[in-house]
Amino acid sequence: MSSLLACGTLMRFFHRQFSTTSARTADFTHVVVGAGAVGLAIARKLAERDGTSTLLIERHGAVIHAGIYYGPTSLKTELCLKGKRMMYDLCEKQQIPYRNCKKWILAQNSQQHEELDKTHAFAKSIGVPTQFIPLAEARTREPDVRAENAVLESPTTGIVDSHAYMSYLESDFQSRGGDLACHTQVDTIEPLDSGAQGYRIQTRSPSGESASVTAETLINSAGLAAVPLSNSILPSDRHMKPYYAKGSYYSYAASYPRPKTLVYPAPTSGAAGLGTHLTMDMMGAIRFGPDVEWVDDPNDLSVNEDRLSAALDEIETYLPTIKREKVMLDYAGIRPKLGKGSAVARGKGDGFSDFYIKKEEGFDGFINLLGIESPGLTSSLAIADMVNDLLALIKHINTVSDSKEAGATTKSLLKATSDSSEDDTSLDAEPVWLVLTTKKHIAQQHRLKPGKIPLPHSLNHSPNTTICLITCDPQRQIKDTIANPSFPTSLSSRITKIIGISKLKARYHPFENKRKLLDEHDIFLADARIITMLPKVLGKVFYKSTKKPVPVNLEPSRERKPDGKRVANKSATEGSKPIAAPLQVAKEIEKAIGCTFVHLAPSNNVSIRIGRSTFTAQQISENVEAVVAGLVEKFIPKGWRNVRAIHIKGPNTMALPIWLADELWVDEGDVLEEEEAQEQNGIGQSAGKKKRKRIPGDVHGIGDGQQKKRKRVEEDGKRAKQKRRTEEVDLSKEMRERREKLREQKRLDRQAMQED
């Protein structure tokens, strides 16, 4: 038995039996090392995943940054901008103390003014509002602040109660089922089979008790210890050198001066910090700092008194009425850096170091976060989203890789199965596809419902096939219908999930939740009354897959009036929609899953699943006949005259041709209608001439009636082309109007943000 001491109390996993083998039996799905703001945000995000477990291991007034210093393509800029919006929204929603107090950046000379111009131009390029304030207005608003040359204001900068923010992240993480191990030292981390089998983390509590836990994925968010921890896992040629920038902070005991705006000096190119600036807490108490002092020991948090004089000189440049004797040393902090270059990105050669957030190649499930300094707090929620997306991508890649390896052993189209049984037609058998190629490009535009073609031999009769049924609200109606004793148990046992449209929106908004839902079920059926709502709810995850929801009619049959019109169904209760009788619902579901589905892509090829590798040749043949007849009749314009070839194939086989057209064409004018061809053949025979294919422009032997008919065909073609051009113009106009509407909305949003 092993245990972890957490926050002075025993965690609920005190008596967990930790495993020492593979990731399949790992103690936790995710382990996050480092419980700072970023680590807490990541752990909280991962804890919301269904069916996973997350452990956060802690190693032993903040500013909400606008994101205007870090270059156009850096992660710092991208994550700071996104994180700023997310933090303001979270603080407003959860009532975490914050204040949008704005920030002034000051220039005392023309050289500093040039730096402000660069900052302003960059902010404008990334859509962050900044503005120059007239010096007279600046003196009126903040009479104690000195600005000799220019004042650049950042209206979206603010402050947040960092302790309240982190407390909320911690409590929300634990409410989602996460485990927190405080004051716990990580001694070693051992990748099991380069991470393919997970990671073993050896820990030690303050009392000296050791414990070993295993995890499928490892997130290194250890702050100052992140680079050493990374170096202990990666090979020596991928090691990094950590740099530690100690910053001293200074408190101010006097009540005057007390600016209400954050005040920063102009950024200095090549400097490792933003200068000793003025910040404040939620109570209005001001402090100054941090400066930059390079140290070798990440635990050296001693305050250096020798730096006070230089700090006071810098503070007096923008706050000349400060009382020097009231400024006192307060505390020091250390920022983890990946180099000694500039804190502000100004171009090549400035040594600017960006966030390092990536999945380490060759180590499955290992996400490394290095150099997470300012604006780490502002970016924390966005970083959590990025890590969550990286893990989702890793899972998807592994799933695809595993499925390819599993299917690589079967190469034949139809396997000989002399001892096959009903269970052989499971979803593990390889599918057989019919590929129909057309002569003219076809497309199924604005169609949200896949086409259905009934099959003589269903692909989905196996009892192992799982069905997810998406219904209109309330979902209880359809659940009661399927639970009714008259509903066939052979079908109800295969319906493994029933979910209403409102719960689908609430629970499966995150991308990873949608992907997981897609993987958990083989067939998705949807009430025809809500089918048009699903593309927006389910997104591309579903609608670019072969599991597009299939509509099923769950409405009761409607009576007809004497004039032939149907009588509208009346709901039994207000707000509910009527559901058909159990036997009728079962019949509609069986009808839906007994079909194969047609998804027409914009091309001249369509692939339809018509069998499995365990089907007999007779079953395949009968399904091919049914599918070809249904396709040509319902979905292919001009029917057989537009069919070029038909093949059947398996996932890893060559295509087997079963039908090829005798004649191909490219242009509509090169093809004679059947009646016209017969008439021309008659003319040719009567003249004693050989039959030949019509050549455009050759009217020899054709009467006036045929010429007029030919002209009508050409004119119809011209009108059709003109109509297409008009539609394209209308579409372009509509797109322009949409873009203008979007720009106007963004402008109003920025204006509202500035007013706030």
Side-chain angles (χ1 to χ4, degrees), residues 571-687:
S571 301
T573 59
E574 186 177 354
S576 64
K577 295 185 178 181
I579 300 295
L583 289 179
Q584 184 181 346
V585 171
K587 181 180 178 181
E588 291 293 334
I589 293 177
E590 289 282 9
K591 179 181 176 181
I593 65 178
C595 296
T596 190
F597 309 120
V598 181
H599 306 274
L600 290 182
S603 68
N604 65 340
N605 283 284
V606 56
S607 298
I608 300 176
R609 194 168 59 172
I610 49 91
R612 302 189 187 283
S613 57
T614 51
F615 279 24
T616 65
Q618 183 64 27
Q619 290 174 324
I620 292 289
S621 176
E622 292 174 0
N623 279 1
V624 166
E625 290 179 3
V627 170
V628 170
L631 264 180
V632 173
E633 179 181 349
K634 297 180 181 179
F635 300 96
I636 305 300
K638 296 186 180 296
W640 279 103
R641 297 181 63 244
N642 195 15
V643 178
R644 174 179 291 177
I646 301 175
H647 297 73
I648 59 172
K649 72 182 300 293
N652 301 294
T653 69
M654 300 290 288
L656 174 66
I658 59 175
W659 189 88
L660 298 174
D662 294 328
E663 187 176 11
L664 308 180
W665 78 81
V666 176
D667 186 72
E668 188 75 19
D670 295 338
V671 183
L672 295 176
E673 296 292 341
E674 185 176 352
E675 294 179 359
E676 183 181 353
Q678 291 176 353
E679 293 177 6
Q680 182 176 351
N681 289 340
I683 295 173
Q685 292 172 358
S686 63

Side-chain angles (χ1 to χ4, degrees), residues 34-96:
V38 173
L40 280 167
I42 293 171
R44 168 180 171 268
K45 184 67 178 180
L46 298 181
E48 75 178 11
R49 292 183 169 195
D50 294 334
T52 64
S53 56
T54 304
L55 171 65
L56 175 60
I57 301 178
E58 181 200 29
R59 297 179 58 94
H60 339 297
V63 174
I64 302 177
H65 290 280
I68 57 177
Y69 292 122
Y70 313 113
T73 61
S74 70
L75 276 178
K76 286 185 176 180
T77 295
E78 176 186 347
L79 297 173
C80 185
L81 295 182
K82 180 181 178 181
K84 175 183 63 176
R85 293 190 295 269
M86 295 176 71
M87 180 169 286
Y88 276 134
D89 291 344
L90 181 68
C91 290
E92 186 68 29
K93 183 178 179 181
Q94 301 299 332
Q95 297 183 342
I96 298 171

Side-chain angles (χ1 to χ4, degrees), residues 224 246-248 295 297-304 330-334:
L224 294 172
K246 182 166 73 171
S248 297
V295 296
D297 183 3
N299 298 312
D300 178 13
L301 296 175
S302 59
V303 180
N304 189 348
D330 195 358
Y331 65 93
I334 296 181

Side-chain angles (χ1 to χ4, degrees), residues 82-143:
K82 180 181 178 181
K84 175 183 63 176
R85 293 190 295 269
M86 295 176 71
M87 180 169 286
Y88 276 134
D89 291 344
L90 181 68
C91 290
E92 186 68 29
K93 183 178 179 181
Q94 301 299 332
Q95 297 183 342
I96 298 171
Y98 79 99
R99 188 162 77 246
N100 183 204
C101 57
K102 304 180 177 57
K103 175 174 72 175
W104 283 6
I105 310 172
L106 310 179
Q108 309 298 346
N109 52 51
S110 58
Q111 183 178 358
Q112 292 182 352
H113 197 159
E114 291 178 3
E115 292 294 329
L116 264 59
D117 287 335
K118 295 177 183 177
T119 303
H120 178 57
F122 171 68
K124 184 178 180 180
S125 70
I126 60 174
V128 175
T130 56
Q131 58 187 6
F132 281 101
I133 300 176
L135 295 179
E137 179 185 339
R139 285 191 288 269
T140 301
R141 289 171 54 181
E142 294 288 357

Side-chain angles (χ1 to χ4, degrees), residues 477-499:
Q477 286 183 293
I478 189 64
K479 285 187 175 181
D480 292 342
T481 300
I482 292 177
N484 191 292
S486 62
F487 194 92
T489 56
S490 59
L491 181 59
S492 62
S493 62
R494 298 163 64 188
I495 302 175
T496 54
K497 191 175 188 66
I498 300 172
I499 185 168

Side-chain angles (χ1 to χ4, degrees), residues 431-716:
V432 178
W433 299 86
L434 180 140
V435 182
L436 187 144
T437 307
T438 60
K439 300 174 182 177
K440 300 280 280 186
H441 185 96
I442 59 174
Q444 196 174 21
Q445 296 178 348
H446 310 299
R447 190 182 183 98
L448 301 176
K449 304 176 183 180
K452 294 184 288 188
I453 299 177
L455 291 177
H457 306 283
S458 174
L459 302 172
N460 304 309
H461 70 271
S462 170
N464 298 324
T465 306
T466 59
I467 301 171
C468 176
L469 180 58
I470 304 171
T471 74
C472 56
D473 294 324
Q475 66 183 30
R476 175 49 55 188
Q477 286 183 293
I478 189 64
K479 285 187 175 181
D480 292 342
T481 300
I482 292 177
N484 191 292
S486 62
F487 194 92
T489 56
S490 59
L491 181 59
S492 62
S493 62
R494 298 163 64 188
I495 302 175
T496 54
K497 191 175 188 66
I498 300 172
I499 185 168
I501 184 66
S502 60
K503 289 191 176 181
L504 184 71
K505 293 178 182 178
R507 294 182 182 177
Y508 294 95
H509 178 68
F511 177 80
E512 175 61 15
N513 290 3
K514 293 176 186 176
R515 188 190 297 281
K516 185 176 180 182
L517 179 67
L518 183 70
D519 292 340
E520 287 176 345
H521 304 282
D522 303 318
I523 301 173
F524 289 85
L525 304 179
D527 192 327
R529 291 170 289 187
I530 55 137
I531 194 73
T532 56
M533 302 167 61
L534 296 183
K536 185 176 181 181
V537 177
L538 297 176
K540 296 180 181 179
V541 177
F542 276 77
Y543 281 82
K544 283 196 173 182
S545 73
T546 57
K547 294 184 182 180
K548 187 184 297 184
V550 177
V552 58
N553 184 17
L554 301 181
E555 274 190 293
S557 300
R558 293 186 288 175
E559 299 178 357
R560 291 186 180 272
K561 299 178 182 179
D563 59 0
K565 295 183 179 180
R566 293 177 183 262
V567 179
N569 283 320
K570 295 183 179 179
S571 301
T573 59
E574 186 177 354
S576 64
K577 295 185 178 181
I579 300 295
L583 289 179
Q584 184 181 346
V585 171
K587 181 180 178 181
E588 291 293 334
I589 293 177
E590 289 282 9
K591 179 181 176 181
I593 65 178
C595 296
T596 190
F597 309 120
V598 181
H599 306 274
L600 290 182
S603 68
N604 65 340
N605 283 284
V606 56
S607 298
I608 300 176
R609 194 168 59 172
I610 49 91
R612 302 189 187 283
S613 57
T614 51
F615 279 24
T616 65
Q618 183 64 27
Q619 290 174 324
I620 292 289
S621 176
E622 292 174 0
N623 279 1
V624 166
E625 290 179 3
V627 170
V628 170
L631 264 180
V632 173
E633 179 181 349
K634 297 180 181 179
F635 300 96
I636 305 300
K638 296 186 180 296
W640 279 103
R641 297 181 63 244
N642 195 15
V643 178
R644 174 179 291 177
I646 301 175
H647 297 73
I648 59 172
K649 72 182 300 293
N652 301 294
T653 69
M654 300 290 288
L656 174 66
I658 59 175
W659 189 88
L660 298 174
D662 294 328
E663 187 176 11
L664 308 180
W665 78 81
V666 176
D667 186 72
E668 188 75 19
D670 295 338
V671 183
L672 295 176
E673 296 292 341
E674 185 176 352
E675 294 179 359
E676 183 181 353
Q678 291 176 353
E679 293 177 6
Q680 182 176 351
N681 289 340
I683 295 173
Q685 292 172 358
S686 63
K689 297 180 180 179
K690 295 182 180 179
K691 293 185 291 183
R692 59 175 180 152
K693 182 178 176 180
R694 169 90 72 80
I695 300 174
D698 181 6
V699 297
H700 179 70
I702 300 179
D704 293 339
Q706 293 299 324
Q707 293 185 31
K708 291 179 181 179
K709 187 173 182 179
R710 177 62 178 274
K711 289 181 179 179
R712 285 198 302 271
V713 171
E714 293 176 351
E715 290 173 357
D716 289 343

